[in-house]
Amino acid sequence: MKVAIIGAGLVGSLAALNFARMGNEVHLYEYREDIRTAELVQGRSINLALSQRGRKALAAVGLEQQVLATAIPMQGRMLHDVRGRTSVVLYDPCTKQCLYSVGRKQLNEVLLNACEKLPNISCHFNHKLTSADIREGVMQFKRAEEHITASADLIVGCDGAFSKVRQHMVKAAGFNYSQQYIEHGYVELCIPAKSGEFQMPPNYLHIWPRDTFMMIALPNQDKSFTVTLFMPFKNFAAIKTPEQLLEFFNKFYADAVPLIGEERLVQDFFKLKPQYLLSVKCQPYHFSDKALILGDAAHAMVPYYGQGMNAGMEDVTLLTSLLNKPLKLQEVLEQFSEMRWQDAHTICDLALYNYVEMRDLTKRWSFRCRKWLDTL
Ligand code: FAD
């Protein structure tokens, strides 16, 4: 079977590997240039928390250990209160399971390198899908000024939250779709390494919960932390000058200011506009035996549960298990949609709820821990 995968991000490249390992002819089309040679773009979650779902999917294609070799284990949350005091909430004190901080670029590179090793995968970078006839399996791409037509037996949309493939499926009868932008956005900042070392304990997901907003930080391989400030857009808009920014940070995140550095804080904060966060629910995920959507294309979610990529990778695990059964392709895709949509909708809801948990409840938990520690 000739399979066209649209989007060579984390889910698309993993899906390509799985289809190819089953002997299909795979064409992987990506809008951007090859991420392995591209410069890192600020503002798009440089690192991610990899959990059991993602690890299982990577293990299935023999890449788990390679990814974990450069990942940083995070055994729990380290909570920073407004006075700079910290407390720890372990994820799993009994079996010591943890999350891993992985670089988006590094992970994508590992997957693309594995794709390139398989002779039945062809990678087409700088190819933007502009339209598709999903009934006929015909696709139009734009590469620079050139227009390219290609065809496939199955089109798999792994093209993210604003999926072009999904746009074509929306027109089909029986396709349910909803999207929700939340009123909070985010900016990415950085706590750089100091004298070649981490400036905070590295094996934690750091959280500064502050009721209606919060900041988090995940460790990077180069001993820096990627810091993400989540806040209502109206609060971002109220910070117009470096002085206002420093006043805000000194009030709410005073312990982080010397770690980020005032100059860098001002520079990074004002470099990019706050990014929007989107939650997408749809159902079914397939059209006949001709098209399918996976990952954010099927169920983009707000990032507060750290499960967007992990859930997308789990899509691939489920799909592969169904493709290995003696079923017709149409049956596989029907079963995939049926088995997946409720879980995906639920995790989208949990992700929205976890924002309240992280910015608010963890704060109470932190104070409870503090009270408890004070009694010792
Ligand atoms: P994407 O990563 O969006 O990849 C889609 C690809 O398709 C891109 O390469 C794009 O260039 C390409 N594309 C788009 N349109 C076209 C087109 N027309 N033609 C060709 N190619 C196209 N998830 C976690 O599991 N853990 C975390 O800790 C985590 N943290 C996050 C933090 C933030 C701030 C954000 C915003 C998200 C976070 N996520 C996290 C979610 C995670 O980033 C996504 O779920 C994941 O990237 C989805 O992968 P994907 O391959 O489905 O989509």
Side-chain angles (χ1 to χ4, degrees):
M1 172 168 66
K2 188 173 172 186
V3 183
I5 296 183
I6 315 300
L10 303 171
V11 176
S13 45
L14 180 68
L17 275 177
N18 280 270
F19 274 106
R21 284 159 60 99
M22 283 180 275
N24 298 293
E25 177 190 339
V26 178
H27 292 265
L28 183 56
Y29 295 97
E30 169 55 46
Y31 168 36
R32 297 171 305 179
E33 61 185 303
D34 188 340
I35 193 169
R36 292 168 294 181
T37 50
E39 264 189 45
L40 199 61
V41 184
Q42 195 205 5
R44 179 82 212 287
S45 78
I46 290 160
N47 54 19
L48 304 141
L50 174 71
S51 70
Q52 191 51 35
R53 292 183 169 86
R55 284 176 60 185
K56 187 175 169 193
L58 291 168
V61 290
L63 295 176
E64 184 194 18
Q65 289 315 317
Q66 193 183 339
V67 171
L68 292 189
T70 58
I72 301 173
M74 298 183 293
Q75 59 203 30
R77 297 161 168 177
M78 181 170 279
L79 306 167
H80 298 242
D81 77 12
V82 83
R83 287 161 62 184
R85 298 172 303 179
T86 57
S87 52
V88 165
V89 183
L90 292 179
Y91 287 125
D92 184 358
C94 299
T95 64
K96 304 215 168 10
Q97 274 197 87
C98 57
L99 298 175
Y100 287 84
S101 177
V102 291
R104 182 185 288 274
K105 188 171 191 275
Q106 286 89 333
L107 180 53
N108 214 163
E109 278 175 3
V110 167
L111 289 162
L112 286 173
N113 287 342
C115 283
E116 241 173 28
K117 287 194 185 127
L118 296 183
N120 49 339
I121 302 185
S122 309
C123 295
H124 310 269
F125 295 102
N126 300 306
H127 277 62
K128 180 181 184 181
L129 181 78
T130 51
S131 71
D133 180 341
I134 53 173
R135 277 172 214 279
E136 299 300 325
V138 177
M139 299 154 289
Q140 306 292 333
F141 294 94
K142 193 159 184 265
R143 185 181 63 184
E145 295 310 307
E146 202 182 346
H147 293 272
I148 296 157
T149 304
S151 64
D153 302 307
L154 176 66
I155 300 173
V156 185
C158 302
D159 46 347
F162 302 98
S163 170
K164 195 80 190 169
V165 178
R166 188 185 65 225
Q167 264 180 35
H168 288 280
M169 288 170 63
V170 166
K171 295 172 199 157
F175 188 85
N176 297 305
Y177 172 72
S178 68
Q179 70 174 44
Q180 182 190 355
Y181 280 101
I182 62 167
E183 287 171 11
H184 295 236
Y186 71 95
V187 295
E188 281 190 350
L189 306 166
C190 176
I191 293 179
K194 190 172 180 188
S195 313
E197 288 305 324
F198 283 110
Q199 294 200 65
M200 299 190 295
N203 296 114
Y204 298 99
L205 196 163
H206 291 262
I207 308 179
W208 290 257
R210 300 289 182 265
D211 283 329
T212 54
F213 49 93
M214 71 165 181
M215 193 164 83
I216 65 168
L218 272 73
N220 293 313
Q221 262 253 302
D222 66 359
K223 312 253 163 104
S224 66
F225 284 87
T226 299
V227 179
T228 314
L229 171 64
F230 296 97
M231 204 159 65
F233 283 104
K234 62 177 190 312
N235 294 70
F236 277 115
I239 301 174
K240 294 191 176 71
T241 65
E243 293 71 31
Q244 287 171 334
L245 176 67
L246 293 175
E247 190 187 333
F248 171 77
F249 261 76
N250 283 322
K251 184 165 179 194
F252 292 106
Y253 304 114
D255 62 334
V257 175
L259 308 181
I260 300 173
E262 288 190 359
E263 201 178 318
R264 180 151 197 183
L265 173 61
V266 170
Q267 187 189 317
D268 286 352
F269 185 89
F270 290 109
K271 188 146 65 180
L272 288 177
K273 283 190 175 157
Q275 308 283 298
Y276 284 87
L277 292 165
L278 178 66
S279 185
V280 168
K281 286 181 182 172
C282 62
Q283 181 259 341
Y285 297 134
H286 72 289
F287 173 78
S288 176
D289 61 351
K290 290 292 186 187
L292 175 70
I293 45 176
L294 301 174
D296 274 18
H299 45 66
M301 61 193 77
V302 295
Y304 306 117
Y305 216 56
Q307 285 298 329
M309 164 194 69
N310 289 295
M313 289 183 161
E314 194 180 50
D315 290 352
V316 180
T317 305
L318 173 63
L319 178 66
T320 307
S321 76
L322 292 170
L323 284 165
N324 280 322
K325 289 187 176 172
L327 296 168
K328 288 191 180 134
L329 182 59
Q330 171 120 17
E331 291 169 332
V332 166
L333 303 189
E334 278 168 10
Q335 287 196 21
F336 175 81
S337 283
E338 200 43 43
M339 290 171 78
R340 198 61 181 146
W341 74 267
Q342 277 169 319
D343 286 349
H345 287 200
T346 302
I347 203 141
C348 285
D349 292 338
L350 283 171
L352 281 167
Y353 169 74
N354 212 41
Y355 189 29
V356 181
E357 151 82 15
M358 284 177 85
R359 69 185 198 216
D360 182 22
L361 301 185
T362 44
K363 189 186 73 173
R364 285 181 220 155
W365 174 238
S366 142
F367 290 143
R368 245 183 282 154
C369 287
R370 173 67 49 198
K371 261 190 164 172
W372 176 73
L373 285 172
D374 286 347
T375 63
L376 291 179

